[in-house]
Amino acid sequence: MKTGIFNKSTSRFFLQAIIVFAVFMSLLLLWEAISFFGILNPSLISRPSEIFLDMWKLFLKRSPAAQSVLLVHIYSSLYRLFLAFSLAAGVGISLGILMGYSQRIRWFLEPLITLAMPVPGIAWAPIFMIWFGFGDPTIISVGALAAFFPIVYNTTTGVRSIEKEFIWAARSMGADRKTIFFKVLLPSSAPYIFTGFKLGLARGWRTIIAVEMIAASLWGLGFMIFDARDYLRPSIIYGGIIILAVVYLFIEGLVKLVERRTIAKWGMVRPEAM
Amino acid sequence: MDFKVRLSRFLRFLFPLAVCLAVWELLAFFDILNPNLVSSPSRIIWKMYELVFPNPILLVYLGRSLYRLALGYALGAVFGISLGILMGMNRYLYWIASPVLSLLISIPTIAWVPLFLFTVGIGDETILLAIFLGCFFAIVYNTMNGIRSIKKELIWASQIMGADRKIIFLEVLLPGASVSIITGLRLAVGYSWRALVGAEMLASISGGIGRMIYAARAFNDVNTMFTGLIIIAVGGLLIDHLVLGWLEKKTIEKWGMVKKRE
């Protein structure tokens, strides 16, 4: 397949990357120049250089536990995402498999899920705050709830999409229930489960950032952004938004890597909607 | 579809809900669950009644929320579809704008709200901007992909047959991209609904469903919160099924571009 490092598509890719970089840089320069000449109100719209400097200062600033403040913010959000996602994946996959297996369970749970799925995660936050108070328990459980629905939905679809013939074939070759489950059901619903993971990760991340803003918790990127508003520090808001984007692109890259290593290797990638 | 089939399907949908509500009510009735924390269906229904009679505050809030949603969504749809078409038709614009778009698309909408609170101030403008951003990206992205997915051969064929640019645009590009555009519009309803609730919590000064849920926390008023949640759930479902299902049926199903839904 490979004809060299610089085949046509890679050179095009590099060309595009250079153009994009140039466009980004010139936009930043333009922004900087306009603010430099005082056309934009500096208390509303910060300069790129100022944003960068303030982020750097926040990086150097030490928390009471002598860690970098910026890194602790990022770490707290990621930690919450990790816990929420693990919880959602555990419950979501088990329930999804049950719903895929048993018509009765599906019949009972499907209406409940259909109704609860479109509710935005953040709408649950005030109720969870009454139950669990401020801080981590609320943020993590609301994040887990938000991530749960896409996972359970896609797992069910995955288990149901298996062709009956596969199971019959395995059975006629003498496979017992355990073997059928691990060697037929799980692998063939894996792509769907993975789609659910991706959607759940995105939903969980969004919800956690949002809940961090209202269930004040001292740490977390959402809290950092919302808190900066009180101190009239737009540069931290801009910087926080950029960091949010970068962190999420990083997570997405990680997911793609895992996908390449597992599902793509087994040759089971599903075509994707958005 | 036969009316009887529809009714039985609807009842089958409602049955699990009814069972859950009954169990919930019983648990609350026998004080197994603390009613101050989890409330009970009868209390929630009573609260709903109180919120509508004699003073229809719930309806006023719902009206305000729906107005914001409609305005923000309409803005997002108009600008999103136009930009999406431009990006789909012009290669250079696509090259420049698509990386910026993919960076911006990954930012949670709610993260913009503190910035808008700063720049345009607390109130409806911030909420509108949040809804706009929430649905804008999904619409641009899907419109662009729709236009770009049209086969070159179709355009060449119509050019050979003497179609001018206007006809190609109206009779080839737009119908060809319509499935994708409507997918985007459909996704965007969910996104803008979400943005509405989040932004109202942080930025509303004149009520709204999201604000109602958030404000009820100060009084530990669980009933009002559940009322809000139910309205958000049912509202989202109704908008998706009635409005967009209807739109889909009138356009792309009629043109035979997707299979009819079961």
Side-chain angles (χ1 to χ4, degrees), chain A residues 1-53:
Chain A
M1 281 296 277
K2 275 186 188 161
T3 52
I5 304 170
F6 284 94
N7 57 23
K8 204 178 168 197
S9 72
T10 35
S11 70
R12 265 180 78 109
F13 174 77
F14 276 114
L15 187 61
Q16 189 183 5
I18 290 168
I19 291 176
V20 167
F21 186 70
V23 169
F24 261 119
M25 289 319 276
S26 42
L27 281 179
L28 281 184
L29 263 178
L30 188 69
W31 181 0
E32 181 83 34
I34 291 175
S35 338
F36 184 79
F37 290 112
I39 300 169
L40 297 174
N41 183 348
S43 60
L44 294 183
I45 299 173
S46 348
R47 287 190 241 165
S49 57
E50 194 190 340
I51 296 171
F52 183 77
L53 260 179

Short mmCIF file of all heavy atoms in Angstrom, two decimals, chain A residues 1-53:
data_model
loop_
_atom_site.label_atom_id
_atom_site.label_comp_id
_atom_site.label_asym_id
_atom_site.label_seq_id
_atom_site.Cartn_x
_atom_site.Cartn_y
_atom_site.Cartn_z
N MET A 1 0.83 -1.21 0.00
CA MET A 1 0.00 0.00 0.00
C MET A 1 0.86 1.26 0.00
O MET A 1 0.70 2.15 -0.82
CB MET A 1 -0.90 0.02 1.24
CG MET A 1 -2.13 -0.88 1.13
SD MET A 1 -3.23 -0.35 -0.15
CE MET A 1 -4.14 0.93 0.70
N LYS A 2 1.81 1.30 0.94
CA LYS A 2 2.59 2.53 1.07
C LYS A 2 3.58 2.66 -0.07
O LYS A 2 4.34 1.74 -0.37
CB LYS A 2 3.34 2.51 2.40
CG LYS A 2 2.48 3.02 3.54
CD LYS A 2 3.29 3.12 4.80
CE LYS A 2 2.37 3.43 5.95
NZ LYS A 2 2.99 3.11 7.23
N THR A 3 3.58 3.81 -0.71
CA THR A 3 4.52 4.02 -1.80
C THR A 3 5.63 4.96 -1.38
O THR A 3 6.50 5.27 -2.16
CB THR A 3 3.81 4.61 -3.02
OG1 THR A 3 3.09 5.76 -2.56
CG2 THR A 3 2.85 3.62 -3.62
N GLY A 4 5.64 5.39 -0.15
CA GLY A 4 6.64 6.36 0.31
C GLY A 4 5.96 7.27 1.31
O GLY A 4 4.75 7.27 1.42
N ILE A 5 6.80 7.98 2.05
CA ILE A 5 6.20 8.83 3.08
C ILE A 5 5.42 9.96 2.43
O ILE A 5 4.34 10.33 2.87
CB ILE A 5 7.28 9.39 4.01
CG1 ILE A 5 8.10 8.25 4.62
CG2 ILE A 5 6.65 10.20 5.13
CD1 ILE A 5 9.32 8.71 5.36
N PHE A 6 5.97 10.50 1.35
CA PHE A 6 5.31 11.64 0.72
C PHE A 6 4.54 11.23 -0.50
O PHE A 6 4.83 11.63 -1.61
CB PHE A 6 6.34 12.71 0.36
CG PHE A 6 6.80 13.47 1.55
CD1 PHE A 6 7.94 13.08 2.24
CD2 PHE A 6 6.09 14.55 2.02
CE1 PHE A 6 8.37 13.78 3.35
CE2 PHE A 6 6.50 15.25 3.13
CZ PHE A 6 7.64 14.85 3.80
N ASN A 7 3.54 10.36 -0.30
CA ASN A 7 2.68 10.12 -1.45
C ASN A 7 1.71 11.29 -1.58
O ASN A 7 1.76 12.25 -0.80
CB ASN A 7 1.96 8.78 -1.31
CG ASN A 7 1.13 8.70 -0.04
OD1 ASN A 7 0.78 9.76 0.49
ND2 ASN A 7 0.85 7.52 0.44
N LYS A 8 0.84 11.21 -2.54
CA LYS A 8 0.06 12.40 -2.88
C LYS A 8 -0.81 12.87 -1.70
O LYS A 8 -0.87 14.06 -1.41
CB LYS A 8 -0.81 12.10 -4.09
CG LYS A 8 -1.19 13.36 -4.85
CD LYS A 8 -2.01 13.02 -6.07
CE LYS A 8 -2.62 14.30 -6.63
NZ LYS A 8 -3.71 14.01 -7.54
N SER A 9 -1.44 11.90 -1.03
CA SER A 9 -2.39 12.33 -0.01
C SER A 9 -1.67 12.93 1.19
O SER A 9 -2.15 13.87 1.80
CB SER A 9 -3.27 11.16 0.42
OG SER A 9 -2.53 10.25 1.18
N THR A 10 -0.46 12.39 1.53
CA THR A 10 0.24 13.00 2.67
C THR A 10 0.73 14.39 2.33
O THR A 10 0.69 15.29 3.17
CB THR A 10 1.42 12.14 3.16
OG1 THR A 10 2.01 11.52 2.06
CG2 THR A 10 1.00 11.15 4.20
N SER A 11 1.22 14.59 1.12
CA SER A 11 1.71 15.94 0.80
C SER A 11 0.55 16.92 0.79
O SER A 11 0.69 18.07 1.22
CB SER A 11 2.46 15.94 -0.53
OG SER A 11 1.55 15.75 -1.58
N ARG A 12 -0.60 16.47 0.33
CA ARG A 12 -1.78 17.33 0.41
C ARG A 12 -2.12 17.66 1.84
O ARG A 12 -2.47 18.78 2.18
CB ARG A 12 -2.98 16.62 -0.23
CG ARG A 12 -3.20 16.98 -1.67
CD ARG A 12 -4.41 16.22 -2.14
NE ARG A 12 -5.61 16.87 -1.66
CZ ARG A 12 -6.43 17.54 -2.44
NH1 ARG A 12 -6.18 17.62 -3.72
NH2 ARG A 12 -7.51 18.10 -1.96
N PHE A 13 -1.98 16.62 2.69
CA PHE A 13 -2.28 16.82 4.10
C PHE A 13 -1.37 17.88 4.70
O PHE A 13 -1.81 18.78 5.41
CB PHE A 13 -2.13 15.50 4.85
CG PHE A 13 -2.29 15.62 6.33
CD1 PHE A 13 -3.56 15.75 6.89
CD2 PHE A 13 -1.19 15.65 7.16
CE1 PHE A 13 -3.71 15.89 8.26
CE2 PHE A 13 -1.33 15.79 8.53
CZ PHE A 13 -2.59 15.91 9.07
N PHE A 14 -0.06 17.78 4.34
CA PHE A 14 0.89 18.76 4.89
C PHE A 14 0.59 20.16 4.37
O PHE A 14 0.64 21.14 5.11
CB PHE A 14 2.33 18.37 4.55
CG PHE A 14 2.88 17.38 5.53
CD1 PHE A 14 3.19 16.09 5.14
CD2 PHE A 14 3.07 17.75 6.86
CE1 PHE A 14 3.68 15.18 6.06
CE2 PHE A 14 3.56 16.84 7.77
CZ PHE A 14 3.87 15.54 7.37
N LEU A 15 0.26 20.23 3.09
CA LEU A 15 -0.08 21.53 2.51
C LEU A 15 -1.26 22.14 3.27
O LEU A 15 -1.23 23.31 3.67
CB LEU A 15 -0.43 21.34 1.03
CG LEU A 15 -0.64 22.63 0.25
CD1 LEU A 15 0.63 23.46 0.28
CD2 LEU A 15 -1.03 22.33 -1.18
N GLN A 16 -2.27 21.30 3.50
CA GLN A 16 -3.44 21.81 4.21
C GLN A 16 -3.06 22.24 5.62
O GLN A 16 -3.49 23.29 6.10
CB GLN A 16 -4.53 20.74 4.26
CG GLN A 16 -5.83 21.31 4.80
CD GLN A 16 -6.92 20.26 4.93
OE1 GLN A 16 -6.69 19.08 4.71
NE2 GLN A 16 -8.11 20.70 5.27
N ALA A 17 -2.21 21.43 6.28
CA ALA A 17 -1.81 21.76 7.65
C ALA A 17 -1.10 23.11 7.67
O ALA A 17 -1.35 23.95 8.55
CB ALA A 17 -0.90 20.67 8.20
N ILE A 18 -0.24 23.34 6.67
CA ILE A 18 0.50 24.61 6.63
C ILE A 18 -0.46 25.78 6.42
O ILE A 18 -0.38 26.81 7.09
CB ILE A 18 1.57 24.57 5.50
CG1 ILE A 18 2.68 23.61 5.91
CG2 ILE A 18 2.14 25.95 5.25
CD1 ILE A 18 3.61 23.26 4.80
N ILE A 19 -1.40 25.59 5.48
CA ILE A 19 -2.36 26.66 5.22
C ILE A 19 -3.17 26.97 6.47
O ILE A 19 -3.34 28.13 6.87
CB ILE A 19 -3.31 26.27 4.07
CG1 ILE A 19 -2.52 26.23 2.76
CG2 ILE A 19 -4.46 27.25 3.96
CD1 ILE A 19 -3.33 25.78 1.59
N VAL A 20 -3.63 25.91 7.14
CA VAL A 20 -4.43 26.10 8.34
C VAL A 20 -3.63 26.83 9.41
O VAL A 20 -4.11 27.78 10.04
CB VAL A 20 -4.92 24.73 8.88
CG1 VAL A 20 -5.47 24.89 10.28
CG2 VAL A 20 -5.97 24.17 7.97
N PHE A 21 -2.39 26.40 9.57
CA PHE A 21 -1.53 27.03 10.56
C PHE A 21 -1.36 28.51 10.24
O PHE A 21 -1.49 29.38 11.11
CB PHE A 21 -0.17 26.32 10.58
CG PHE A 21 0.74 26.79 11.65
CD1 PHE A 21 0.47 26.50 12.98
CD2 PHE A 21 1.87 27.55 11.34
CE1 PHE A 21 1.32 26.94 13.98
CE2 PHE A 21 2.71 28.00 12.34
CZ PHE A 21 2.43 27.69 13.67
N ALA A 22 -1.12 28.80 8.95
CA ALA A 22 -0.93 30.19 8.54
C ALA A 22 -2.19 31.01 8.80
O ALA A 22 -2.12 32.13 9.31
CB ALA A 22 -0.56 30.24 7.05
N VAL A 23 -3.34 30.41 8.49
CA VAL A 23 -4.59 31.15 8.71
C VAL A 23 -4.78 31.44 10.20
O VAL A 23 -5.09 32.56 10.60
CB VAL A 23 -5.79 30.34 8.16
CG1 VAL A 23 -7.10 30.96 8.62
CG2 VAL A 23 -5.74 30.28 6.66
N PHE A 24 -4.55 30.40 11.02
CA PHE A 24 -4.67 30.58 12.46
C PHE A 24 -3.76 31.69 12.95
O PHE A 24 -4.18 32.60 13.68
CB PHE A 24 -4.28 29.28 13.20
CG PHE A 24 -5.45 28.46 13.61
CD1 PHE A 24 -5.61 27.17 13.11
CD2 PHE A 24 -6.40 28.96 14.48
CE1 PHE A 24 -6.70 26.40 13.49
CE2 PHE A 24 -7.49 28.20 14.86
CZ PHE A 24 -7.63 26.92 14.35
N MET A 25 -2.49 31.63 12.53
CA MET A 25 -1.51 32.60 13.01
C MET A 25 -1.89 34.00 12.57
O MET A 25 -1.78 34.95 13.34
CB MET A 25 -0.10 32.24 12.53
CG MET A 25 0.50 31.02 13.17
SD MET A 25 0.19 30.88 14.93
CE MET A 25 1.50 31.89 15.57
N SER A 26 -2.33 34.14 11.31
CA SER A 26 -2.64 35.50 10.86
C SER A 26 -3.87 36.03 11.57
O SER A 26 -3.95 37.23 11.88
CB SER A 26 -2.79 35.55 9.34
OG SER A 26 -3.51 34.46 8.90
N LEU A 27 -4.84 35.14 11.87
CA LEU A 27 -6.01 35.60 12.62
C LEU A 27 -5.57 36.07 14.01
O LEU A 27 -6.00 37.15 14.48
CB LEU A 27 -7.02 34.46 12.77
CG LEU A 27 -7.90 34.19 11.56
CD1 LEU A 27 -8.83 33.02 11.82
CD2 LEU A 27 -8.71 35.44 11.20
N LEU A 28 -4.70 35.28 14.66
CA LEU A 28 -4.21 35.66 15.98
C LEU A 28 -3.49 37.00 15.93
O LEU A 28 -3.68 37.87 16.77
CB LEU A 28 -3.27 34.58 16.53
CG LEU A 28 -3.93 33.34 17.13
CD1 LEU A 28 -2.88 32.42 17.70
CD2 LEU A 28 -4.92 33.74 18.21
N LEU A 29 -2.62 37.17 14.89
CA LEU A 29 -1.87 38.41 14.73
C LEU A 29 -2.81 39.59 14.56
O LEU A 29 -2.64 40.64 15.17
CB LEU A 29 -0.95 38.31 13.52
CG LEU A 29 0.49 37.92 13.84
CD1 LEU A 29 1.28 37.82 12.56
CD2 LEU A 29 1.10 38.96 14.77
N LEU A 30 -3.82 39.38 13.71
CA LEU A 30 -4.80 40.43 13.46
C LEU A 30 -5.48 40.84 14.76
O LEU A 30 -5.60 42.02 15.10
CB LEU A 30 -5.83 39.93 12.44
CG LEU A 30 -6.81 40.97 11.92
CD1 LEU A 30 -6.08 41.95 11.03
CD2 LEU A 30 -7.93 40.29 11.15
N TRP A 31 -5.90 39.83 15.51
CA TRP A 31 -6.57 40.02 16.79
C TRP A 31 -5.65 40.81 17.72
O TRP A 31 -6.05 41.80 18.34
CB TRP A 31 -6.91 38.64 17.34
CG TRP A 31 -7.62 38.58 18.65
CD1 TRP A 31 -8.03 39.62 19.41
CD2 TRP A 31 -8.02 37.40 19.34
NE1 TRP A 31 -8.64 39.17 20.54
CE2 TRP A 31 -8.65 37.81 20.52
CE3 TRP A 31 -7.88 36.03 19.07
CZ2 TRP A 31 -9.14 36.89 21.44
CZ3 TRP A 31 -8.38 35.14 19.98
CH2 TRP A 31 -9.01 35.57 21.16
N GLU A 32 -4.40 40.37 17.79
CA GLU A 32 -3.42 41.03 18.66
C GLU A 32 -3.25 42.49 18.26
O GLU A 32 -3.26 43.40 19.09
CB GLU A 32 -2.09 40.27 18.57
CG GLU A 32 -0.97 40.82 19.42
CD GLU A 32 -1.04 40.31 20.85
OE1 GLU A 32 -1.47 39.16 21.04
OE2 GLU A 32 -0.70 41.08 21.76
N ALA A 33 -3.12 42.72 16.93
CA ALA A 33 -2.87 44.08 16.44
C ALA A 33 -4.06 44.98 16.75
O ALA A 33 -3.90 46.11 17.22
CB ALA A 33 -2.60 44.04 14.94
N ILE A 34 -5.27 44.45 16.50
CA ILE A 34 -6.46 45.27 16.75
C ILE A 34 -6.55 45.65 18.22
O ILE A 34 -6.80 46.80 18.57
CB ILE A 34 -7.73 44.50 16.31
CG1 ILE A 34 -7.78 44.37 14.81
CG2 ILE A 34 -8.97 45.24 16.78
CD1 ILE A 34 -8.93 43.53 14.33
N SER A 35 -6.28 44.66 19.11
CA SER A 35 -6.36 45.00 20.54
C SER A 35 -5.22 45.95 20.92
O SER A 35 -5.38 46.79 21.79
CB SER A 35 -6.28 43.75 21.41
OG SER A 35 -6.65 42.62 20.74
N PHE A 36 -4.07 45.79 20.25
CA PHE A 36 -2.92 46.64 20.58
C PHE A 36 -3.25 48.11 20.33
O PHE A 36 -2.89 48.97 21.11
CB PHE A 36 -1.72 46.20 19.74
CG PHE A 36 -0.47 46.96 20.07
CD1 PHE A 36 0.27 46.62 21.19
CD2 PHE A 36 -0.05 48.00 19.27
CE1 PHE A 36 1.42 47.32 21.51
CE2 PHE A 36 1.10 48.70 19.58
CZ PHE A 36 1.83 48.36 20.70
N PHE A 37 -3.96 48.36 19.25
CA PHE A 37 -4.30 49.75 18.96
C PHE A 37 -5.56 50.21 19.68
O PHE A 37 -6.12 51.24 19.37
CB PHE A 37 -4.45 49.95 17.44
CG PHE A 37 -3.14 49.85 16.73
CD1 PHE A 37 -2.88 48.78 15.89
CD2 PHE A 37 -2.14 50.78 16.95
CE1 PHE A 37 -1.66 48.68 15.26
CE2 PHE A 37 -0.93 50.68 16.31
CZ PHE A 37 -0.68 49.63 15.47
N GLY A 38 -6.01 49.39 20.62
CA GLY A 38 -7.09 49.82 21.50
C GLY A 38 -8.45 49.91 20.85
O GLY A 38 -9.32 50.64 21.30
N ILE A 39 -8.64 49.17 19.74
CA ILE A 39 -9.95 49.23 19.09
C ILE A 39 -10.95 48.34 19.84
O ILE A 39 -12.11 48.68 19.99
CB ILE A 39 -9.85 48.80 17.61
CG1 ILE A 39 -8.88 49.73 16.89
CG2 ILE A 39 -11.21 48.86 16.93
CD1 ILE A 39 -8.50 49.28 15.53
N LEU A 40 -10.45 47.21 20.34
CA LEU A 40 -11.33 46.33 21.12
C LEU A 40 -11.19 46.69 22.60
O LEU A 40 -10.09 47.01 23.07
CB LEU A 40 -10.92 44.86 20.93
CG LEU A 40 -11.07 44.32 19.52
CD1 LEU A 40 -10.52 42.92 19.43
CD2 LEU A 40 -12.52 44.32 19.11
N ASN A 41 -12.29 46.61 23.31
CA ASN A 41 -12.26 46.91 24.73
C ASN A 41 -11.50 45.82 25.49
O ASN A 41 -11.93 44.68 25.52
CB ASN A 41 -13.71 46.99 25.23
CG ASN A 41 -13.78 47.36 26.68
OD1 ASN A 41 -12.78 47.36 27.39
ND2 ASN A 41 -14.97 47.69 27.13
N PRO A 42 -10.35 46.16 26.09
CA PRO A 42 -9.50 45.13 26.69
C PRO A 42 -10.12 44.44 27.89
O PRO A 42 -9.70 43.35 28.26
CB PRO A 42 -8.23 45.90 27.08
CG PRO A 42 -8.67 47.30 27.21
CD PRO A 42 -9.78 47.50 26.24
N SER A 43 -11.14 45.06 28.53
CA SER A 43 -11.74 44.38 29.67
C SER A 43 -12.77 43.35 29.21
O SER A 43 -13.26 42.56 30.00
CB SER A 43 -12.38 45.39 30.62
OG SER A 43 -13.39 46.09 29.94
N LEU A 44 -13.10 43.36 27.92
CA LEU A 44 -14.02 42.35 27.41
C LEU A 44 -13.30 41.30 26.56
O LEU A 44 -13.58 40.12 26.65
CB LEU A 44 -15.11 42.99 26.54
CG LEU A 44 -16.08 43.92 27.24
CD1 LEU A 44 -17.13 44.41 26.26
CD2 LEU A 44 -16.76 43.21 28.40
N ILE A 45 -12.39 41.76 25.73
CA ILE A 45 -11.74 40.85 24.80
C ILE A 45 -10.23 40.93 25.02
O ILE A 45 -9.62 41.97 24.76
CB ILE A 45 -12.11 41.22 23.35
CG1 ILE A 45 -13.62 41.07 23.19
CG2 ILE A 45 -11.37 40.34 22.37
CD1 ILE A 45 -14.17 41.55 21.89
N SER A 46 -9.67 39.84 25.52
CA SER A 46 -8.24 39.89 25.84
C SER A 46 -7.40 39.64 24.60
O SER A 46 -7.87 39.08 23.63
CB SER A 46 -7.88 38.86 26.89
OG SER A 46 -9.00 38.32 27.48
N ARG A 47 -6.13 40.04 24.69
CA ARG A 47 -5.22 39.80 23.59
C ARG A 47 -4.71 38.35 23.66
O ARG A 47 -4.56 37.81 24.75
CB ARG A 47 -4.01 40.71 23.71
CG ARG A 47 -4.29 42.13 23.38
CD ARG A 47 -2.98 42.83 23.32
NE ARG A 47 -2.91 43.90 24.32
CZ ARG A 47 -1.78 44.47 24.67
NH1 ARG A 47 -0.64 44.05 24.17
NH2 ARG A 47 -1.78 45.45 25.53
N PRO A 48 -4.38 37.76 22.52
CA PRO A 48 -3.82 36.41 22.55
C PRO A 48 -2.59 36.30 23.45
O PRO A 48 -2.45 35.33 24.18
CB PRO A 48 -3.45 36.15 21.09
CG PRO A 48 -4.35 37.03 20.31
CD PRO A 48 -4.61 38.24 21.15
N SER A 49 -1.71 37.32 23.39
CA SER A 49 -0.50 37.23 24.19
C SER A 49 -0.85 37.23 25.68
O SER A 49 -0.24 36.52 26.48
CB SER A 49 0.43 38.41 23.87
OG SER A 49 -0.25 39.62 24.08
N GLU A 50 -1.87 38.05 26.02
CA GLU A 50 -2.28 38.12 27.42
C GLU A 50 -2.87 36.77 27.87
O GLU A 50 -2.60 36.30 28.99
CB GLU A 50 -3.33 39.22 27.53
CG GLU A 50 -3.64 39.67 28.93
CD GLU A 50 -4.86 40.59 28.93
OE1 GLU A 50 -5.18 41.15 27.87
OE2 GLU A 50 -5.48 40.71 29.98
N ILE A 51 -3.68 36.16 26.98
CA ILE A 51 -4.26 34.86 27.31
C ILE A 51 -3.15 33.85 27.58
O ILE A 51 -3.16 33.13 28.59
CB ILE A 51 -5.14 34.36 26.15
CG1 ILE A 51 -6.33 35.28 25.95
CG2 ILE A 51 -5.62 32.94 26.41
CD1 ILE A 51 -7.12 34.99 24.71
N PHE A 52 -2.17 33.85 26.69
CA PHE A 52 -1.08 32.89 26.84
C PHE A 52 -0.32 33.14 28.14
O PHE A 52 -0.04 32.21 28.90
CB PHE A 52 -0.14 33.01 25.65
CG PHE A 52 0.97 32.01 25.69
CD1 PHE A 52 0.74 30.68 25.37
CD2 PHE A 52 2.24 32.39 26.09
CE1 PHE A 52 1.76 29.75 25.43
CE2 PHE A 52 3.27 31.46 26.16
CZ PHE A 52 3.03 30.14 25.83
N LEU A 53 -0.04 34.42 28.42
CA LEU A 53 0.71 34.75 29.65
C LEU A 53 -0.06 34.33 30.89
O LEU A 53 0.51 33.75 31.83
CB LEU A 53 0.96 36.26 29.69
CG LEU A 53 2.35 36.70 29.26
CD1 LEU A 53 2.46 38.21 29.31
CD2 LEU A 53 3.40 36.05 30.16
#
